[in-house]
Amino acid sequence: MSLSQAASVVEGIVGHDDSAVTAQDVSTYRGQGTSETMKALCWMGKNSVQVLDVARPKILEPTDVILKVTGSTVCGSDLHLLHGTVVQLNKGDILGHEFCGIVDEVGSSVRKVQKGKRYVASFQIACGDCFFCKQKLSSQCERTNANSTQRAMYGGQTAGMFGYSHFTGGFAGGQAEYVRVPLGDVNLLEIPEDVPDEKALYLSDVLATSYNAVHDTAVYPGDQVAVFGAGPIGQMAGIFAIGAGATKIIFVDTEPRLSFVKERWPKEHRDKLELLDFKKVSFGVTGKETVVSRLKELCGGRGPDAAIECVAGEYAKGWMHWLELMLGAETDTSEILNEMIEGVRSFGRCGITGVYVGYTNHFNIGSLMERGIRLIGNGQAPVHKYWEELLVQIQKGDLDPLQMVSHRVRVEDLDKVYHKFEKKEDGMQKVFVETKFSLPPCVGSPPLTRY
C-alpha cells in the first residue's frame, strides 16, 4: 500500500466532517454509474496510470449535470498525483481537473444549464452560497470538501476539486468520455459559439491560475518580474505580467521549455524577455554564479520587483532536500522559495502558485523578515472570479490560449501522454485531449499525435 493510499485509509477511520452539501468520495462510478462503459484515465498506484473501460456516470443528486467530454488536458499538478505527492488517492480513481463538453443530462433542480449546449467546468467545485463563494473566491468554498485531514493540516479546507484525490473531496475527474458535475449551475460556464473548445477549455484552470498569480502577487506598471517555471502556467503568467505593465520578464527554467517560450513570445515584447537556465549556474552557498546573482545582475543590482513561483515543492535541487523528501522529513523543498526571497529586491513580492502540499525545512525566514519581503500564497485560483473576464479577452482576440498548446492527443493515449509530459519529450508543453465526442479541430490547433 502506498503512502497516498494509507492516508486515505486514515481519513476513512477518522471520518469526514459534516460541512459538505454534495456527496464525497465519488471518485469512480463503480456501483454509482450506469451499466454502460466509457474510457477514463485512472490512477493505479505511484507512477502508474491506465486508460480503462469504466462505468459511465449518472445523475446522483438533483443539482448534477452529466457532460460528454469534448476536451480535457494534462496539467503540471497532475504529475503530483502521478508521483503520489498528493495524498489520499485510491486505485482506480478517475483523474483530470480541466475539461469542457456538451451537456448530456441534467438533474431535476438544474435551472441554468441546458442539455445540448457546450460548457467549460471550473476545476474547483463551489456551492455558490457560502462566505467565499459570494465573493467569487470559489476555490475556498466552505461546503464542498469535508476532508478532516486537510482541515487538521491547513487549519481549513479548500473547495472540492475534480480528479484530485480524496484530500479534496474525492470527485471523479474529466480525463474521460463522460463526467459528473455536481452543482452544475454554479460550476459550468457556457461557451459562446464564436469560441472553440480548444480555447475555452483552458478557462477551467491554467488561464485563471496564471492570471491570479500575477494579480494576487501584484505586478505594477514598470515592474521587473521573475517567473520561476516556464511551463504553461509560467508562460501565461509572463503574458499577463506584460499586460499588467511589466517592463522585464525573466523566466527561470531549463530546456526545452525556455526555447518553447522564446519561440511563442509576442514579437512586440521581445525586448522585455530574459531567459535564465538554472542548470547553467550553481546554487546554495557558493562564490560561483547562481540564480540569485543572475537576477540581481539582470535587474540593476537589486533584483526584480516581484517573483512568481509556477513550479511546485516536490522537485529538489540539492542532496539534502532530496534525502529529506525521501525520508518524509519534509513534504516540500524550500529551494525555489529561498531563491525568490533572496533574489527579489528589498520590499519585493514573492507569489507562490505551484503546488506545495505540507511542510518544508531550511526556509530563509531571516531574509524574508530583515529585507521586508512579502511572501504571498496565491492559493488555488478562484476560477469563478476571473473566467468571464478572461472569456471576453478571448472573444476580443486579446488573449490566445493556443500559444501554449503544443500537442493534440487522444484520450485513449493519455497514460502514455502522462509520462511524455513528465519527461518533457517531443517539446510537450500543453495538450488538448480529444474524445470521440470532440468537434473538428479549430484553426491553429496542433495536428493530432497518436501514441
Side-chain angles (χ1 to χ4, degrees), residues 30-108:
R30 194 182 307 117
Q32 297 175 300
T34 70
S35 59
E36 299 177 37
T37 63
M38 65 172 183
K39 294 196 178 299
L41 185 86
C42 301
W43 189 84
M44 304 304 288
K46 186 175 180 179
N47 295 318
S48 177
V49 291
Q50 291 180 27
V51 177
L52 301 176
D53 290 315
V54 301
R56 275 176 46 178
K58 66 181 180 181
I59 299 291
L60 298 179
E61 298 172 328
T63 54
D64 285 352
V65 169
I66 305 298
L67 277 189
K68 291 191 295 188
V69 177
T70 56
S72 65
T73 187
V74 180
C75 178
S77 57
D78 287 325
L79 297 181
H80 311 317
L81 302 176
L82 177 67
H83 300 154
T85 305
V86 175
V87 296
Q88 297 186 8
L89 280 158
N90 291 329
K91 186 175 182 179
D93 285 354
I94 300 172
L95 305 184
H97 58 274
E98 301 173 85
F99 56 90
C100 62
I102 299 169
V103 173
D104 191 55
E105 296 179 65
V106 297
S108 59

